[in-house]
Each structure stands twice: as C-alpha cells, then as structure tokens.
Amino acid sequence: MGRTKSRTKKMLWRFWGYLVLAAAVYVWLGNDTNIVVALSLSALSLLYMLFAAPMWCMAPNTTNGKPCSNNAHGLLIGCWIRKHKWEKLKMVFRRQRWAELCRRSWSSIGAQAATVGAVGSFASAVAATITLIIKA
C-alpha cells in the first residue's frame, strides 16, 4: 500500500507541468476567469515543457549515428552528456537547424506531449497577456 502511494507521488512530481496546464485550462473555462492566475499557470507550464518535461535526448551519436536514447529534460535541454546538454537550445538560435529541432520535437510520445503542451501554454499566456493589456 505504501509503495503504491510513493509511486503515485513520484509520478505526480515528475509530471507536475501537465497538472499545471490542466489547472490553467480549468481557470480559462471558469465563469469568473482570473487573468493573472491564468497567466501565471500558463507561464509555469511553458517553463516546465521547455526545461523539465521528461523525454529522450535524440541528439545524434558520433559512434553509431543513431539518436541518443538517454533521458533528457524538456524540449530545449539534452541528456547528461556534456556535448548533448545544450545542443537543442543552440538550435533555437541557428535558423538553419530549426527543421531538425522540429523533427526532434515530434520524435517520441513524450516529446509530442511536451510540444503540444508548450504550444498550448504559449497560446494561453499570450491570450492572458493581451486580455490583461486590454482590460488595463
């Protein structure tokens, strides 16, 4: 019994960004929408998707040419290997590598979930910001 509870806590802690995104959707769908809360939840969820969501690294290996299958954190951070650590983040700033970054963003189920979550979080944050500016 205690083992199952511990496992559930670990899973909830590992995927907290998806719960925050669900809370942001709930805030948006509520009758009395608090824009500041929606903006905060969306920003937190976006940061989680970009830098903490569990997925595979997918950096190209020099030894066998296959993509790296080590665990990584977020859409923009690689695995524990120094060469892979910041490779995805560097791709954002090089226009020639955007296509490769997009391919990596759709490479696995975890990456697909994080990509969809990041797009949704970003759209929610932009909508909350625009609403906040218009109401001010």
Side-chain angles (χ1 to χ4, degrees):
M1 182 82 121
R3 188 174 181 189
T4 306
K5 188 184 257 187
S6 174
R7 187 177 299 156
T8 305
K9 281 184 180 179
K10 285 182 182 179
M11 289 298 284
L12 286 175
W13 180 249
R14 188 172 179 190
F15 297 108
W16 65 268
Y18 295 105
L19 296 173
V20 172
L21 181 60
V25 170
Y26 180 76
V27 167
W28 275 111
L29 296 177
N31 291 336
D32 188 30
T33 303
N34 188 340
I35 301 301
V36 175
V37 172
L39 179 62
S40 301
L41 291 173
S42 299
L44 269 174
S45 179
L46 180 62
L47 287 173
Y48 171 81
M49 301 301 170
L50 293 178
F51 299 108
M55 64 187 58
W56 291 332
C57 177
M58 299 305 289
N61 280 331
T62 56
T63 56
N64 59 9
K66 293 182 180 178
C68 178
S69 60
N70 289 330
N71 292 330
H73 301 286
L75 290 168
L76 299 180
I77 305 294
C79 65
W80 58 273
I81 299 171
R82 187 184 323 183
K83 186 177 178 184
H84 298 175
K85 189 78 170 171
W86 301 107
E87 185 175 339
K88 290 193 235 176
L89 188 60
K90 288 182 208 173
M91 287 182 184
V92 173
F93 298 103
R94 294 187 183 139
R95 194 181 59 171
Q96 298 84 4
R97 307 220 32 216
W98 286 354
E100 185 179 352
L101 180 63
C102 288
R103 272 194 307 276
R104 288 184 187 185
S105 297
W106 293 102
S107 61
S108 66
I109 295 294
Q112 292 170 1
T115 301
V116 170
V119 169
S121 298
F122 182 73
S124 175
V126 168
T129 303
I130 291 172
T131 305
L132 197 60
I133 291 170
I134 290 173
K135 285 189 174 183

